[in-house]
Amino acid sequence: KAGVTQTPRYLIKTRGQQVTLSCSPISGHRSVSWYQQTPGQGLQFLFEYFSETQRNKGNFPGRFSGRQFSNSRSEMNVSTLELGDSALYLCASSLAKGQNTGELFFGEGSRLTVL
Amino acid sequence: AQSVTQLGSHVSVSEGALVLLRCNYSSSVPPYLFWYVQYPNQGLQLLLKYTSAATLVKGINGFEAEFKKSETSFHLTKPSAHMSDAAEYFCAVSDLRGSSGSARQLTFGSGTQLTVLP
């Protein structure tokens, strides 16, 4: 069974640009979450999608947005990039049904560098 | 609100020695607790989870953790460290609530970098 797939793995952007990151969840998983990881702030929750609806959002500015498609694939977008947006962006999927215990399965992440 | 505190941002042990990584949590509801491991340039891999069944939880790679409600702790241990255990370890608590379809969010600790000395 394939794991969570994130693309691209690495990318470099300049301030003011925008970026779109993609995530394909494990087959059958309907919930997709996004986390930002930085050395200073650690792992911070961005948002979670289930059945194409954002169910929960972390404390990030509106420049950070996301969406989920009918096949559960998700994208996140960051507009007007700032230097502080440099981070590892992790996508995670979960079953989100029945006896699910909140366990998340993570992809390898997309490392964004903003110059 | 939930929170997780990991005591010790860096822990060094000798190969073959006991590994003990500390985690304390705060939760207003019975928690689900997790330990994840992260190797360089990789995502997070689940080591083990506590879901209100047995308080002593066994995970992969010889790791285990014990849930102690009275101490609000969920420390991670391994009897004998291997060089391959060198990585960063994260404790997390879930805000899982309600039945299926409810929002889920993990709150992570700040992580503990484990170094294994030869």
Side-chain angles (χ1 to χ4, degrees):
Chain A
K1 196 172 187 180
V4 177
T5 304
Q6 291 188 245
T7 56
R9 287 291 314 278
Y10 302 91
L11 66 166
I12 300 173
K13 294 286 187 178
T14 57
R15 281 182 299 174
Q17 288 186 310
Q18 73 163 9
V19 65
T20 299
L21 309 178
S22 179
C23 172
S24 294
I26 292 171
S27 177
H29 286 194
R30 296 170 61 194
S31 170
V32 174
S33 302
W34 289 89
Y35 288 79
Q36 182 196 63
Q37 185 178 24
T38 59
Q41 299 299 317
L43 282 153
Q44 293 186 287
F45 173 75
L46 280 158
F47 25 65
E48 188 243 359
Y49 287 87
F50 176 77
S51 291
E52 303 178 63
T53 300
Q54 186 183 90
R55 296 196 298 189
N56 202 7
K57 189 178 192 307
N59 188 25
F60 279 83
R63 300 186 297 107
F64 291 81
S65 63
R67 59 177 175 170
Q68 186 181 33
F69 302 96
S70 58
N71 61 358
S72 294
R73 192 177 69 83
S74 177
E75 290 181 346
M76 69 162 283
N77 183 279
V78 187
S79 62
T80 318
L81 284 166
E82 301 178 358
L83 295 179
D85 297 334
S86 294
L88 181 66
Y89 290 88
L90 292 165
C91 170
S93 71
S94 67
L95 282 169
K97 65 177 181 180
Q99 296 302 309
N100 178 33
T101 53
E103 176 180 345
L104 299 183
F105 297 84
F106 285 84
E108 294 193 317
S110 292
R111 184 167 294 281
L112 170 65
T113 301
V114 182
L115 302 177
Chain B
Q2 299 176 309
S3 64
V4 175
T5 301
Q6 291 184 240
L7 295 175
S9 58
H10 292 83
V11 170
S12 294
V13 300
S14 298
E15 191 173 19
L18 171 72
V19 176
L20 171 60
L21 304 182
R22 299 178 186 273
C23 172
N24 288 88
Y25 70 91
S26 170
S27 176
S28 58
V29 297
Y32 289 166
L33 294 160
F34 308 85
W35 275 100
Y36 283 86
V37 61
Q38 185 178 34
Y39 298 98
N41 297 315
Q42 293 188 23
L44 278 70
Q45 179 183 8
L46 181 69
L47 278 177
L48 49 81
K49 61 182 179 182
Y50 166 75
T51 59
S52 74
T55 56
L56 182 61
V57 181
K58 294 187 184 298
I60 62 172
N61 301 338
F63 284 95
E64 63 181 38
E66 186 173 8
F67 173 70
K68 292 187 176 180
K69 183 178 179 180
S70 61
E71 299 177 8
T72 60
S73 69
F74 190 56
H75 302 331
L76 181 71
T77 61
K78 182 175 180 177
S80 177
H82 295 170
M83 297 297 291
S84 60
D85 295 328
E88 189 156 23
Y89 293 80
F90 293 91
C91 181
V93 60
S94 171
D95 81 335
L96 184 74
R97 49 186 187 271
S99 58
S100 61
S102 297
R104 287 158 178 78
Q105 173 184 338
L106 290 187
T107 299
F108 287 89
S110 55
T112 297
Q113 181 68 47
L114 176 66
T115 300
V116 182
L117 305 171

